[in-house]
Amino acid sequence: MQRALDILNHTFGYHEFRHHQADIVKTVLAGQDALVLMPTGGGKSLCYQIPALVRDGVGIVVSPLIALMQDQVDALLQVGIRAAFINSSQGAEQQRLTEQALLTGDVDIVYVAPERLLTDRMLDILDRAKISLFAIDEAHCVSQWGHDFRREYQQLSILHQRFPSVPRIALTATADGRTRDEIIAQLDLGSAAVFVNSFDRPNIRYTISEGLNSRDRLLSFLNQEHAGDAGIVYCLSRKKVESVAEWLSSKGKIALPYHAGLPVEVRQLHQQRFLREESVVIVATIAFGMGIDKPDVRFVAHLSLPKSIEAYYQETGRAGRDGQPANAWMAYGLQDVITLRQMVLDTDAHEQFKRAQHGKLESMLGLCELSSCRRQALLAYFDETLSEPCGNCDTCLHPPETWDGTQSARKALSCVFRTGQRFGVNYLIDVLLGKDNERIQNNLHHKLSTYGIGEEHTGVEWRGVYRQLIALGYLTADLEGHGTLLLTEKSRPLLRGEQQLQLRKQRKTEKTRKEKTNRPQVDLSEDDDVLFRVLRGHRLSLARERGVPSYVIFHDRTLQEMAVRRPESLAEMGEISGIGEHKLEAFGESFLELITA
Ligand code: ADP
Ligand code: ZN
């Protein structure tokens, strides 16, 4: 462990391990298998990189994304670690050289894609090489239920059979229990130590609004909070992607479109520019983002509703990987809801799947309509409890207007109860409104005490009440069944009249309001900020010379600390977080000169 700590300090330039990193490293160093569930930006990489350096032999990292390997390897090379990758983007000679280095132990970490790893040739090389560990990154790819299923991942259990003494560490940022169980089963990780981190991303500020003028509001949000920042704007359709990108460009932003309908070269170019330049805004459908490792994405904006809370969490999670403050901003219109519902209906999937998708969409809407802390609800969806409201979401910062919904909620719940917990929202609303239709007649529900007792609200308002009741956990949508609403244990005191309930007022229009800015934690004075910009400029030219993204040189956080502390010697500079020995030697002098000047 002392060696591990030394590497953390001297090679990576970090002062201490965070979250479960130390325990994970210890586990793998002891030769035991580990399963690591940590949110994006949590620091998963160090969990296998450091043990790979401490243990004898070469660490093999299985990674699904060939496009990312280059950047991952570049980042390791910059801190002085002997890293390489083997994939089809290279020439045969380069591949042979890396294979050779693997056999002679002249490399510490090698990245390979699963299909390459599983070839006879590669397995044969691994038989003859000394392997320190296998890291299986993005391990949720084994799951058929997940979003990035990769067939080859399911064959990775072969590693255990063929190399029983080599520890394996599987890592993912996917939170749900079903995927976790599948990873354990598929990868034969039954005896692995499991480390589950909180999935909270405290540096991300969640803001959700309904209403009009979303495009204009996006622009003022960008101008007020993110001038010069890199970020992603998600839209539902390709057409909207193009029009929004064009419009933002006309307003002076560097905004590039990205969707599956664009030629591959254009997509690649835009992705490269987003990764390599600063201040690029990508306007995209959800085709963009899988495996985007850029740590300094400062905002993710949604101009439409994601199709589920899982998708929302994943997409917004691309912001702020570096732990610095970031915004997850969303404006959605009723039209999105209609379009999304239609998209579900139009798929060929079987009924049960469609109902599940509808249920997920309703939960997402529930999150939008909350009047309590969004982060609490988001984490609760992943079975995690946050004991206090977060103070860093829109409902915490600007509590929405509420109304006493106690009576309405009781009517809504008792209508569920009286109809036998066998119906969905539309039917229940018809009963409350006293609609005269055949289905109601056939069920004799026009005789119920709740028939026609809800005329004080419109159908749309009742829909809002039901969604909030779902969001707050008084009702659950039976996803496997018929979109049926069921009462939960929590609904009893409310039904019995022992509890009051405040509901959120539906806003007709959304006023633009001045948001409190969510700026970096390091407090930069005006002077420091000038210096920070100068340092950033220098970083950019270093990055260009080397053909790597800026963050591979130094993260913003490191430059900010430099600007504030203004080190006067290399020794002082070396104390800054994120500056290891290799980077100190490579870049320290030139940054010192700038600071002195
Ligand atoms: P993940 O793969 O979990 O999304 P990364 O491994 O890319 O996250 O780490 C996210 C960021 O946090 C990186 O910039 C990394 O250098 C930084 N980081 C990781 N561990 C530490 C630590 N112990 N101290 C400071 N920064 C860290
Ligand atoms: Zn909150």
Side-chain angles (χ1 to χ4, degrees):
M1 255 335 256
Q2 190 51 49
R3 261 295 274 136
L5 205 56
D6 284 346
I7 293 173
L8 179 76
N9 298 151
H10 298 130
T11 304
F12 290 96
Y14 296 136
H15 301 307
E16 59 208 359
F17 283 117
R18 60 186 193 200
H19 310 311
H20 299 296
Q21 277 175 338
D23 290 334
I24 297 164
V25 168
K26 203 181 285 176
T27 301
V28 180
L29 286 182
Q32 216 200 322
D33 296 335
L35 172 59
V36 174
L37 298 104
M38 219 188 250
T40 305
K44 284 185 283 301
S45 323
L46 291 189
C47 298
Y48 59 82
Q49 288 164 351
I50 291 183
L53 295 171
V54 176
R55 285 178 65 90
D56 241 7
V58 185
I60 304 294
V61 185
V62 186
S63 166
L65 292 161
I66 288 180
L68 277 185
M69 290 180 187
Q70 179 78 57
D71 286 351
Q72 284 167 327
V73 166
D74 281 344
L76 288 172
L77 293 174
Q78 291 300 333
V79 296
I81 293 172
R82 300 177 304 170
F85 59 84
I86 304 182
N87 70 36
S88 50
S89 74
Q90 301 164 306
E93 180 57 15
Q94 185 58 46
Q95 295 184 24
R96 211 189 48 75
L97 281 174
T98 306
E99 287 172 1
Q100 198 55 43
L102 223 169
L103 284 169
T104 53
D106 286 317
V107 62
D108 296 313
I109 299 180
V110 174
Y111 287 79
V112 288
E115 50 275 22
R116 166 63 60 114
L117 180 73
L118 293 164
T119 59
D120 288 340
R121 180 189 169 95
M122 195 68 206
L123 287 171
D124 178 55
I125 291 172
L126 295 182
D127 275 337
R128 288 182 287 139
K130 173 106 187 106
I131 310 293
S132 59
L133 58 81
F134 289 109
I136 300 161
D137 206 4
E138 314 286 356
H140 61 275
C141 291
V142 300
S143 163
Q144 300 209 42
W145 300 102
H147 32 83
D148 323 314
F149 175 57
R150 292 276 296 257
R151 190 158 301 284
E152 308 81 29
Y153 260 70
Q154 295 195 330
Q155 291 156 32
L156 288 175
S157 59
I158 193 179
L159 295 178
H160 187 40
Q161 292 142 22
R162 192 147 171 167
F163 308 93
S165 62
V166 178
R168 293 167 305 146
I169 169 172
L171 312 100
T172 177
T174 298
D176 67 284
R178 184 176 197 172
T179 310
R180 185 189 320 172
D181 295 343
E182 248 191 305
I183 294 173
I184 292 175
Q186 293 283 354
L187 294 181
D188 214 346
L189 282 171
S191 53
V194 179
F195 299 90
V196 184
N197 210 78
S198 164
F199 276 79
D200 188 15
R201 305 283 311 277
N203 59 315
I204 297 181
R205 174 175 295 178
Y206 300 102
T207 304
I208 300 178
S209 62
E210 334 123 51
L212 304 163
N213 301 329
S214 50
R215 221 174 55 167
D216 291 318
R217 286 191 292 122
L218 172 69
L219 183 64
S220 57
F221 163 71
L222 294 185
N223 285 337
Q224 280 170 24
E225 301 214 29
H226 292 292
D229 286 341
I232 307 172
V233 177
Y234 282 115
C235 304
L236 203 52
S237 69
R238 297 174 182 183
K239 218 173 94 203
K240 192 158 168 189
V241 162
E242 303 211 341
S243 75
V244 170
E246 213 167 283
W247 185 74
L248 285 176
S249 303
S250 78
K251 300 290 174 191
K253 304 278 166 204
I254 307 170
L256 306 175
Y258 188 105
H259 59 68
L262 291 169
V264 180
E265 312 81 67
V266 175
R267 269 186 282 159
Q268 269 172 0
L269 178 71
H270 289 181
Q271 174 164 335
Q272 276 302 318
R273 286 191 61 189
F274 177 67
L275 293 176
R276 300 285 147 110
E277 295 174 25
E278 311 205 359
S279 330
V280 172
V281 176
I282 280 276
V283 186
T285 59
I286 50 170
F288 180 79
M290 153 79 165
I292 290 298
D293 236 338
K294 190 175 166 63
D296 54 355
V297 175
R298 291 270 67 82
F299 67 88
V300 169
H302 279 93
L303 277 182
S304 62
L305 196 69
K307 63 181 194 305
S308 65
I309 291 185
E310 288 94 331
Y312 177 69
Y313 178 80
Q314 217 203 1
E315 286 152 27
T316 55
R318 293 173 184 141
R321 288 180 70 121
D322 55 7
Q324 295 274 73
N327 274 304
W329 183 96
M330 172 166 135
Y332 75 100
L334 199 59
Q335 189 52 46
D336 302 330
V337 184
I338 297 167
T339 312
L340 279 170
R341 287 218 173 97
Q342 201 55 46
M343 280 163 78
V344 174
L345 284 177
D346 290 348
T347 57
D348 303 327
H350 47 83
E351 274 310 301
Q352 196 169 322
F353 178 81
K354 287 186 187 177
R355 270 184 227 115
Q357 297 304 306
H358 276 300
K360 289 184 172 199
L361 183 56
E362 290 298 321
S363 302
M364 182 64 222
L365 277 170
L367 182 70
C368 296
E369 291 184 24
L370 274 185
S371 52
S372 54
C373 175
R374 303 227 196 252
R375 191 180 312 272
Q376 279 181 319
L378 191 60
L379 291 173
Y381 187 83
F382 297 115
D383 298 323
E384 199 180 318
T385 311
L386 186 68
S387 57
E388 296 290 320
C390 74
N392 193 28
C393 71
D394 57 342
T395 49
C396 282
L397 293 164
H398 318 274
E401 270 188 88
T402 57
W403 56 287
D404 183 349
T406 313
Q407 283 313 320
S408 302
R410 286 182 66 189
K411 288 180 182 177
L413 293 175
S414 79
C415 193
V416 173
F417 180 69
R418 302 259 170 231
T419 52
Q421 310 194 56
R422 291 186 292 121
F423 297 92
V425 177
N426 293 333
Y427 185 86
L428 293 165
I429 293 175
D430 284 348
V431 173
L432 283 169
L433 293 177
K435 288 273 170 66
D436 185 18
N437 66 36
E438 208 181 335
R439 208 166 155 217
I440 291 180
Q441 299 281 347
N442 290 345
N443 290 320
L444 297 180
H445 283 159
H446 56 294
K447 306 245 188 258
L448 286 181
S449 58
T450 54
Y451 182 73
I453 58 166
E455 283 163 347
E456 71 273 30
H457 296 306
T458 63
V460 172
E461 285 165 351
W462 277 117
R463 196 165 264 285
V465 171
Y466 273 112
R467 276 200 296 264
Q468 292 187 62
L469 288 172
I470 295 169
L472 296 169
Y474 293 98
L475 289 170
T476 56
D478 161 25
L479 302 183
E480 255 61 72
H482 299 76
T484 305
L485 293 187
L486 304 172
L487 297 168
T488 65
E489 206 44 42
K490 195 176 169 187
S491 67
R492 283 183 194 211
L494 191 56
L495 264 171
R496 285 199 298 256
E498 295 162 7
Q499 196 198 330
Q500 303 287 309
L501 183 67
Q502 291 292 315
L503 293 178
R504 184 188 182 106
K505 254 192 198 157
Q506 314 231 16
R507 248 176 267 144
K508 297 259 164 9
T509 53
E510 168 77 12
K511 294 179 293 276
T512 328
R513 59 172 172 237
K514 200 136 174 67
E515 294 286 341
K516 260 204 282 180
T517 45
N518 189 21
R519 288 277 87 200
Q521 279 144 0
V522 178
D523 229 347
L524 294 185
S525 69
E526 221 166 285
D527 257 14
D528 297 342
D529 196 48
V530 172
L531 179 54
F532 171 57
R533 277 160 209 281
V534 171
L535 299 177
R536 246 167 95 148
H538 181 50
R539 175 180 68 179
L540 186 59
S541 54
L542 289 174
R544 288 221 170 111
E545 277 166 28
R546 287 163 178 73
V548 296
S550 308
Y551 58 79
V552 164
I553 307 290
F554 285 131
H555 282 184
D556 279 358
R557 177 75 206 230
T558 301
L559 292 191
Q560 281 159 2
E561 215 177 311
M562 254 189 231
V564 172
R565 289 173 58 165
R566 307 197 174 187
E568 290 175 3
S569 65
L570 283 179
E572 277 178 39
M573 179 158 292
E575 286 166 15
I576 291 173
S577 175
I579 308 187
E581 280 161 6
H582 199 264
K583 285 189 179 177
L584 186 65
E585 195 177 316
F587 310 124
E589 203 66 62
S590 67
F591 278 93
L592 262 188
E593 272 171 31
L594 272 179
I595 294 170
T596 314

